[in-house]
Amino acid sequence: DGGITQSPKYLFRKEGQNVTLSCEQNLNHDAMYWYRQDPGQGLRLIYYSQIVNDFQKGDIAEGYSVSREKKESFPLTVTSAQKNPTAFYLCASSMASEQFFGPGTRLTVL
Amino acid sequence: GDSVTQMEGPVTLSEEAFLTINCTYTATGYPSLFWYVQYPGEGLQLLLKATKADDKGSNKGFEATYRKETTSFHLEKGSVQVSDSAVYFCALRDWGTGANNLFFGTGTRLTVIP
């Protein structure tokens, strides 16, 4: 089945640690995205990539980093510089106008 | 800039009631409009979309009409079910600006009680 997978579903991190969230898609989509979702707020764009080896900052990129070495993969690293990283993180991909979302990773900083 | 404003929730309805969730937008180019639904603990799923003025998107009994004159894309359903309980997001993509991402509203939580 085609789709987007994110792992892990739940992730716990100690303050000061970097952590990497995985996002993989087998839809052959060129573009991929990372969003952050906080309670009572809409989705906010962290980073996006339109093609392999290229990516752009979104609205809230500070404290995050990404790579796009393969078309299928777009991992997100939450660094210790991100002051409030506890949130629900959603990955998406698109070919045309419609975006397809993964199931999300809930990150909690202890 | 581009933005989406949608009705704040939460919204609680009885089964078989009529649903309206308001959504208005601001766009500088030529937007496509979307409604996404998020069930508890899951990612977002596309519910319906409309790509130009006066288009009506529909799916699973939900409908929304792209109204350029009122810059609106309100979501409606004639008879809600308990299984419709979820968070609903209105979103736009503005083709005229060259932006490749979606702008989302803050979401409206719907709870349907038996």
Side-chain angles (χ1 to χ4, degrees), chain B residues 67-85:
Chain B
R67 302 286 189 199
K68 188 175 181 179
E69 63 275 15
T70 54
T71 62
S72 65
F73 193 54
H74 304 322
L75 182 68
E76 297 182 336
K77 186 174 185 182
S79 176
V80 293
Q81 305 300 311
V82 172
S83 57
D84 294 327
S85 298

Side-chain angles (χ1 to χ4, degrees), chain A residues 36-56:
Chain A
R36 171 181 170 138
Q37 184 179 21
D38 294 285
Q41 298 190 36
L43 279 66
R44 293 183 289 169
L45 183 66
I46 304 172
Y47 268 97
Y48 66 99
S49 166
Q50 298 192 46
I51 56 172
V52 174
N53 292 322
D54 184 62
F55 48 83
Q56 287 80 40

Side-chain angles (χ1 to χ4, degrees), chain A residues 9 31 33 35 37 40-43 45 48 50 88 90 94 96-99 101-103, chain B residues 32 34 36 38 41-44 46 49 51 89 93 95 100-107:
Chain A
K9 188 171 178 66
Y33 311 80
Y35 292 92
Q37 184 179 21
Q41 298 190 36
L43 279 66
L45 183 66
Y48 66 99
Q50 298 192 46
F88 190 52
L90 288 161
S94 73
S97 63
E98 179 181 343
Q99 289 190 11
F101 284 80
Chain B
S32 293
F34 306 84
Y36 281 84
Q38 184 179 34
E42 298 183 9
L44 276 66
L46 180 66
K49 67 180 180 181
T51 57
F89 291 92
R93 177 173 177 174
W95 295 97
N100 198 34
N101 56 291
L102 295 174
F103 293 88
F104 285 87
T106 55

